């Protein structure tokens, strides 16, 4: 919706790096939007496309995308997104999402194995290892996350998490009420 179609042969690109994710969209900022006003000012380059997407229910046309990105990054304790217009192979707007934050150390497979202990780690099945490693790296896991991670059904993923709880790998953190979507599992730091 935001890209410029006047640059032929260019595409929106997404680049993955160890400490950041970069998204480049062909075309510069549409005035009066710039890197300082991106959260508060709206301007449309492709208004017909935007109207069609709003009609179909995909967008609200209320600057919600940039705000949602910023709120999500803040929710994970990460720096705000960086929006910048650059002349690379034409003019592009680059959004950089950094995950290399001082308070968020990346754990390696070795760190995860050492935390759980080699004997316990060897006793786990492959899908259980994926779940435990995810919970270790992300501080918690929900049933739907385990389902996406392993490709198993929701009910089977729930049983997997309960089995890992019985093995002492995870602890269940209930929500305020039954079937609360905030219910989740965390790593058992008091394992024997």
């Amino acid at each position: 919706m935001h890209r410029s179609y006047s640059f032929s042969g260019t595409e929106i690109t997404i680049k993955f790096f160890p400490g950041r994710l970069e998204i480049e969209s062909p075309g510069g900022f549409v005035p009066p939007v710039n890197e300082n006003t991106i959260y508060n000012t709206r301007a449309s380059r492709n208004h017909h496309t935007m109207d069609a997407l709003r009609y179909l229910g995909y967008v609200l046309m209320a600057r919600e995308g940039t705000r949602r990105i910023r709120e999500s990054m803040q929710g994970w304790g990460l720096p705000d997104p960086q929006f910048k217009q650059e002349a690379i192979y034409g003019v592009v707007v680059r959004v950089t999402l950094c995950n290399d934050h001082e308070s968020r150390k990346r754990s390696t497979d070795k760190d995860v194995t050492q935390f759980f202990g080699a004997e316990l780690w060897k006793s786990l099945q492959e899908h259980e290892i994926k779940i435990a490693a995810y919970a270790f790296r992300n501080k918690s896991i929900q049933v739907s996350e385990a389902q996406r991670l392993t490709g198993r059904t929701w009910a089977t993923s729930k049983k997997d998490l309960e089995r890992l709880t019985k093995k002492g790998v995870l602890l269940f953190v209930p929500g305020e009420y039954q079937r609360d979507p905030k219910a989740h599992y965390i790593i058992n730091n008091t394992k024997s």
Side-chain angles (χ1 to χ4, degrees), residues 29 35 38-39 66 69 81-85 93-96:
F29 288 114
E35 56 197 49
I38 191 127
Y39 297 112
T66 55
I69 293 169
Q82 301 166 0
F83 292 88
K84 191 168 186 173
Q85 180 174 305
V93 171
R94 175 184 290 152
V95 182
T96 304

Side-chain angles (χ1 to χ4, degrees), residues 74-144:
Q74 289 172 346
W76 284 97
L78 297 170
D80 286 351
Q82 301 166 0
F83 292 88
K84 191 168 186 173
Q85 180 174 305
E86 296 182 359
I88 300 175
Y89 39 83
V91 178
V92 300
V93 171
R94 175 184 290 152
V95 182
T96 304
L97 307 174
C98 295
N99 72 352
D100 210 7
H101 197 254
E102 293 169 10
S103 65
R104 201 173 138 105
K105 179 187 171 286
R106 278 274 186 218
S107 57
T108 64
D109 289 342
K110 182 179 176 186
D111 296 331
V112 176
T113 307
Q114 284 178 340
F115 176 82
F116 288 105
E119 290 305 312
L120 173 63
W121 205 244
K122 286 181 198 175
S123 72
L124 298 177
Q125 296 178 32
E126 185 177 339
H127 64 276
E128 292 174 322
I129 289 172
K130 286 181 182 178
I131 291 169
Y134 181 93
F136 179 81
R137 290 185 174 112
N138 295 283
K139 309 297 183 224
S140 70
I141 188 166
Q142 293 181 311
V143 179
S144 57

